[in-house]
Amino acid sequence: MKNFDLVVAGVGGQGIILASRVVSNAAIAAGMEVRTSEVLGMAQREGPVTSHVRMGRNIQGALIPSGQADALLGFELSETVRNLYLLKPGGTVVTSTTTIVPTTVVLGLSSYNREELMAHLRQTVSNLVTVNAERLAREASNVKALNSVLLGTLAAIDKLPIPAAALRETLLSIVPARLHEVNERAFDLGYRSIGVS
Amino acid sequence: MPVRLLMGNQAIAYGAVEAGVQVAAGYPGTPSSEIMATLSKLAPRHNFHAEWSVNEKVALEVAAGAAFAGARAICTMKQVGLNVAADPLMTLAYLGVRGGLVLLVADDPGPHSSQNEQDTRYFAKFAKLPVLDPATPAEAREMTRYAFELSEKLELPVILRPTTRTCHAYQDIRISDEYNPRPVSGFKRDRRWICLPTVARQRHPILNRQQEQARALLEQSPFNEERKGGKATRTGIIACGVAVGYVHESLALAGLAEDVDVLKLGTPYPLPAEPVLSFIRRMDRVLVVEELEPVVEEQVITLAWKHGLSVSISGKHDYVVPREGELDVDRVLVSVGAFSGIETKAVAATTDNKLPALPVRPPVMCAGCPHRASYYAFKKAAEGLDVVFAGDIGCYTLGVAPPLKAVDTSLCMGASVTVANGLHWAEPERRQVAFLGDSTFFHTGIAGLINAVYNKANITVVVLDNHTTAMTGHQPHPGTGQTVVGEPAQAIDIAALARACGVEFVRVVDPLVPTKAIREAREAMEFPGPSVVVMSKPCVAKNKRGFRYEVASPELCNGCRICVDELGCPAILPGPEAPVISLNCAGCALCVRICPSGAIRRVS
Ligand SMILES: Cc1ncc(C[n+]2csc(CCOP(=O)(O)OP(=O)(O)O)c2C)c(N)n1
Ligand code: SF4
């Protein structure tokens, strides 16, 4: 089996780290070695977060080199585009259409052009899956379940070296029991969302 | 033994427990903090002592005392923390230890979250102490156990120096939950523990001889290892720490894996001569790849020169390997390409097409952060006054960003107060205001306050007291009334301390009540003597309120944009008719209180 490199990216507070840990733990359960690392901001939310997850055998380092990632799981549109340089040509992108506008834009110090970003993704990524994960999370009755929605969609495209059922099981083993139902629902909504976003 | 996904810092903590650590002391600092966080969870179960000390100097001295008495001790900090602990460190090397003392100093090439990217391996060499440089989280755990053994064999502290990519990387690791400490031998009187000049004269030659002993032991260590490419070659790479993985991956990407032999070095100082000599003797050309300073490279060059070898050595001195910033495969690939004289195609990424403009997304203070309110109050109070805002290091350093722009200087922890002292003596007619956090106040800030009172520097010191060490992950400190293991402790009162230091103007203020906070701020700045304002309100990241706010109806809003433009709160976004307050609102109500038209109301 070939090694698999996954990038998970978004904005602090979106649940990126948890999603990354779910994939890592599921990979360990599937008998793979794992190396994962974040380019973390600091204690505060709102900064960009990129988590690298490497699964397989004989992994050399925790960082995925540019142009080597097999897939990119994006939680926020501009952060998805920001991390595209890590994706290998022909790699898969699963991204939420969520936008989080930083204060620099509010204050007129930078810009956020949603249409341009979408167009860029469509034009450069051949394997692109977009999902309105925020809407689905709300449908599952908790916006915080965004990460479970995205994990569901990621599982549905069947590119990970981890079966969808195993990913779902690992997710539920990690979230607290009282949140099982919400996350189950969110994962399943994400799983079934392909093609209907 | 179960396999678990462990962070490098957790792996180090487990390694220390496996080695039977008896005393653990540290001060938080990215990327080292999770080591003590993990130890503190294991400490009650195994009944060893763990503490967050007041600062790094204190932590190292606590660990030293324990090790004098024969206990195994670990001391944790980030790279700049070692500057604070440099005084005990330099002499501790002369005195040595009885019980194993592992000094864990985490370096932060990049830097990602530090004020500089100094290389602790130079510090090790300066202090004449052995240093280990782990390549992976798993190796960090092995090295921790080994470091205790080495420390006891040499009777010297041993430095373990992981970098961000080891500390914060996770790996599948098999851990045990064993804890088998040896009994503590107990403190025995000996002149060796007294740093008199006569003792220093005796101990210095011993310390110098220990370098050779250390070198000999490190030569036998399992952390230095050759990996042959396959083909007979006279080209080699010496790689250190995390760079080992980058080198192997770069060689594979460049199609050179079989053409180059690699010597992995895990023990940068003192350089293990034997494995390096036998490697470079076989080579015509060698490249040294290490992060930050050319610590190994310089020693390899010296070794080659001493042995009259004509091998050509590349690295940082000839600019083949970058000397600044963090390494990664992309950068090492360029170095490997330059060294091998082959064109390494910059890997084809998906973004060859021109990127559209991306929003700039710096970290900002959380929605509802009390620091925002404190700065707002002082900015308002200082309108029309000519003041300098001396800043410090903590979440509140982010007050530098627009629209607050409330940080004029920032040097190192505690320096807000002392730099304000100096600014005052340069311009006594101007008011200087120092802003620092509660943890920073205890760490080194208080010395500057005593200095201001004693030397009559009329400055204002604002302690941004959010009841935690937020920046580094919300650790308790002497003001919080809680120890690292969660036991209740005496909460040291900052305002009372300030009064005891002789400050005559001391006020404790709620920053989220702006009218009162602005008035107190103004009075503090006008007070004819040193003044202290303790802005007291818990960090919202740890103390969520159960409600939030919204603009009641667009008609109520007069469109002034004060809430948007003056606060820079990430939860307030401009909308088509009136600002929109997002679900991130933490309910601090600062915007409610500054809104001139009373347009914002509470939702639960
Ligand atoms: C000498 C030194 N030790 C540790 C650190 C890491 N560090 C950065 S800010 C900080 C403390 C911040 O706590 P506090 O002053 O209470 O401010 P807060 O982040 O809570 O606002 C620490 C420990 C450092 N930069 N320098
Ligand atoms: S973590 Fe706490 S102190 Fe830091 S920015 Fe957020 S609210 Fe402020």
Side-chain angles (χ1 to χ4, degrees), chain B residues 212-380:
Chain B
E212 290 316 310
Q213 249 175 296
R215 192 188 309 281
L217 288 170
L218 293 176
E219 283 175 351
Q220 305 305 317
S221 84
F223 307 116
N224 306 311
E225 192 184 10
E226 230 183 87
R227 194 162 108 184
K228 295 219 163 50
K231 296 182 190 160
T233 177
R234 298 191 63 81
T235 308
I237 297 182
I238 297 177
C240 315
V242 285
V244 176
Y246 305 148
V247 164
H248 283 302
E249 200 160 349
S250 302
L251 287 172
L253 285 173
L256 292 170
E258 294 191 354
D259 305 283
V260 180
D261 288 357
V262 177
L263 174 64
K264 165 192 178 298
L265 269 194
T267 66
Y269 179 84
L271 189 77
E274 170 29 42
V276 175
L277 260 182
S278 76
F279 188 75
I280 58 176
R281 276 211 166 100
R282 286 203 334 264
M283 302 296 164
D284 294 331
R285 300 172 63 235
V286 166
L287 175 71
V288 183
V289 184
E290 60 194 312
E291 252 172 349
L292 299 177
E293 302 298 331
V295 175
V296 165
E297 184 178 321
E298 284 169 355
Q299 294 179 85
V300 172
I301 292 171
T302 309
L303 191 70
W305 178 81
K306 255 179 30 191
H307 290 265
L309 304 180
S310 61
V311 53
S312 119
I313 298 164
S314 271
K316 300 187 193 260
H317 71 89
D318 54 354
Y319 306 101
V320 176
V321 178
R323 191 167 179 156
E324 304 86 15
E326 185 179 29
L327 295 184
D328 57 20
V329 176
D330 297 1
R331 296 181 90 194
V332 171
L333 187 59
V334 173
S335 302
V336 165
F339 176 66
S340 330
I342 62 155
E343 186 114 354
T344 46
K345 260 200 312 296
V347 214
T350 310
T351 43
D352 286 348
N353 309 40
K354 217 173 132 349
L355 267 188
L358 286 167
V360 180
R361 197 188 295 281
V364 292
M365 289 186 284
C366 303
C369 176
H371 297 334
R372 179 177 293 105
S374 298
Y375 281 135
Y376 176 79
F378 267 88
K379 286 296 268 195
K380 283 283 163 198

Side-chain angles (χ1 to χ4, degrees), chain B residues 27-28 56 115 371 393 395-396 437-440 466 468 470-471:
Chain B
Y27 186 75
E56 292 86 353
Q115 56 267 43
H371 297 334
I393 308 204
C395 279
Y396 45 86
D438 39 353
S439 192
T440 302
N466 58 359
T468 186
M471 177 82 160

